[in-house]
Amino acid sequence: MGFVNSMVDAGKIDYLKLTAGLEKACTYPDFFRYWRENLFERLMRLFIWEGMDDPLPKEIEQRLILAGHCGICDYDNKLTAFFGSFYGVTVYNDMWKHYTIHSPIYSGFRTIDEDLVVIDNNSLRNPTFEHVNHYAALLAHAEVTLLQQMVEARDSGGVPIARTEAAKQSLLSYQAKKFNGKIGVVSDPAGIGVEYQGSDRHTQLDIGGIWEVRTKLLKHFYADIGVRATFDKRNNTVVDEITCDTSMLLYNVSDMINCRKKAAEKINNLFGTNWTVRLSDEIDYNTENEPEAPAEAAAPDQEGGEA
C-alpha cells in the first residue's frame, strides 16, 4: 500500500477535498509553477559536491542557479555560502576585487581571494534560472494542450455555446464532470439555450504528437546546458554524428564544471579544506556517453612476419 493511500485510509487526508475543484487548478499558471520547481530541482542534481557538510552543496547550487555566482567565506568559525554582489572600481567589468555578502542574519564586506572565494556558475557568471523559466513556460503550454486534448476526446462535440445564464451554468457543471470522468448532462429545458459549434482544428496535434512535443522539450532543456537525455540512442546515428553532437553538448556543461572546480581548488588552498565537485554519474561524459574508440589494428608478428 502506498503512503498516500495509507494516509487516506487513516483519515489523515480527505481525498474528496484534495481533488475538489481540480478542473480549475489544471491551468497554465499551475503547470508553470509545477515545471519551474521540477526543472529547478533537476538542475540542482547536475553537480555533486563532496568533502563538505550539508546543507552547503544545496546552498551553493541554489545561489549559482539563481544569481550566477556565490561567495564562500568563514562565518562563525565555519565556511558559509552567501548571496552577494561585486563592488569597487576596476579596469574590466568582470574583474572585481571586492564582494558584498548578505544573508538574513549577516551582511558584510570581503576581499576576493583573500578572505573569500567566488564560485561562478559559468565564465560569464550568468544564472541558469532564466533557462528554467523558459522551458517551464513551454512545458506548461504543452501540458495544458495535452490535458485539454485528452478531456475533449471524451466527447466528439464542438465548442459549446450558451445563450442563457442557466445554460451556461449547466455547461460549466457538465465540463467539470467530464474532466473528472463522471457522468453528466446539460440541462436546457427550453431547448433554445445550448448548441455546439464546429471549430477549425486542422492545425491541432493528436495526443501522441503533443506528448512527443513534451518529451522533446525535456530533451532540449538538458541539451541547452550540455547534457544528453537518456533516451538518445547511439545506434540511430553514425560515429561522426555522435562525436560532433557530444562535443557541442559538452561545451556548456564543461564550462560550468570547470568554473566549479577552479573555485574548489581556490577554497582548498585558502581555507585548508578538501572540497571536490564532479558531474552527476548519470551524465558523466567521460564514461558511458563518450563514443567508443576505434579498434586498434593487430600488430604484425615480429618473429614470423605476416601469417
Side-chain angles (χ1 to χ4, degrees):
M1 180 183 293
F3 173 75
V4 174
N5 287 335
S6 64
M7 296 291 283
V8 171
D9 293 340
K12 295 182 179 180
I13 295 179
D14 189 332
Y15 182 75
L16 294 178
K17 289 184 179 179
L18 190 66
T19 58
L22 193 59
E23 71 280 357
K24 297 179 180 178
C26 295
T27 61
Y28 173 81
D30 297 290
F31 284 122
F32 175 79
R33 285 190 292 268
Y34 166 78
W35 278 112
R36 184 181 59 187
E37 299 302 318
N38 185 288
L39 297 179
F40 186 88
E41 180 183 349
R42 290 170 184 242
L43 281 185
M44 289 283 293
R45 297 199 298 264
L46 286 183
F47 301 99
I48 306 299
W49 290 85
E50 296 170 324
M52 62 184 71
D53 296 328
D54 291 333
L56 260 181
K58 174 176 69 73
E59 298 299 326
I60 290 173
E61 286 300 321
Q62 281 182 348
R63 284 154 179 77
L64 294 178
I65 294 171
L66 293 172
H69 51 83
C70 167
I72 301 293
C73 65
D74 181 83
Y75 171 72
D76 198 18
N77 296 320
K78 61 181 178 181
L79 292 182
T80 306
F82 287 96
F83 282 107
S85 56
F86 300 93
Y87 73 97
V89 179
T90 61
V91 176
Y92 299 106
N93 289 334
D94 59 347
M95 302 294 291
W96 306 90
K97 289 297 295 179
H98 302 284
Y99 196 80
T100 303
I101 60 175
H102 53 83
S103 71
I105 62 171
Y106 178 76
S107 297
F109 304 95
R110 295 292 188 273
T111 301
I112 297 173
D113 295 338
E114 291 185 11
D115 54 4
L116 172 138
V117 173
V118 174
I119 306 175
D120 296 328
N121 186 45
N122 49 49
S123 296
L124 294 179
R125 298 193 177 112
N126 287 332
T128 42
F129 194 62
E130 289 302 320
H131 181 70
V132 170
N133 275 337
H134 173 69
Y135 276 93
L138 294 175
L139 283 162
H141 280 298
E143 293 279 9
V144 171
T145 305
L146 176 65
L147 183 66
Q148 289 178 343
Q149 187 79 333
M150 293 174 69
V151 172
E152 289 172 359
R154 295 173 185 172
D155 61 27
S156 57
V159 178
I161 306 296
R163 290 189 171 84
T164 67
E165 183 63 26
K168 172 186 172 183
Q169 296 302 321
S170 180
L171 279 172
L172 289 174
S173 175
Y174 168 73
Q175 289 180 323
K177 290 181 179 179
K178 182 176 69 170
F179 179 91
N180 289 311
K182 298 179 180 180
I183 297 175
V185 297
V186 177
S187 175
D188 183 26
I192 60 172
V194 176
E195 64 178 283
Y196 279 80
Q197 296 281 349
S199 61
D200 183 4
R201 299 185 179 183
H202 296 298
T203 59
Q204 76 173 10
L205 291 172
D206 57 22
I207 293 176
I210 299 171
W211 185 260
E212 185 178 356
V213 169
R214 178 188 182 276
T215 303
K216 287 185 176 180
L217 284 173
L218 275 174
K219 167 189 171 182
H220 287 289
F221 167 76
Y222 285 110
D224 280 356
I225 57 175
V227 177
R228 189 194 304 279
T230 56
F231 44 79
D232 277 348
K233 302 297 184 182
R234 289 186 179 282
N235 53 8
N236 293 333
T237 55
V238 298
V239 173
D240 288 342
E241 291 174 333
I242 294 174
T243 304
C244 178
D245 185 41
T246 300
S247 63
M248 292 174 64
L249 289 171
L250 276 173
Y251 185 77
N252 288 332
V253 77
S254 293
D255 183 37
M256 296 171 73
I257 188 63
N258 286 339
C259 286
R260 286 161 170 78
K261 285 183 175 180
K262 289 178 181 178
E265 183 178 356
K266 289 183 178 180
I267 291 168
N268 294 336
N269 293 335
L270 184 60
F271 298 107
T273 55
N274 189 28
W275 288 13
T276 60
V277 60
R278 58 180 175 83
L279 285 170
S280 175
D281 292 335
E282 290 79 4
I283 60 168
D284 191 349
Y285 273 67
N286 294 323
T287 54
E288 64 179 52
N289 285 321
E290 281 297 321
E292 293 82 2
E296 295 183 0
D301 190 338
Q302 297 297 329
E303 294 183 359
E306 294 184 359

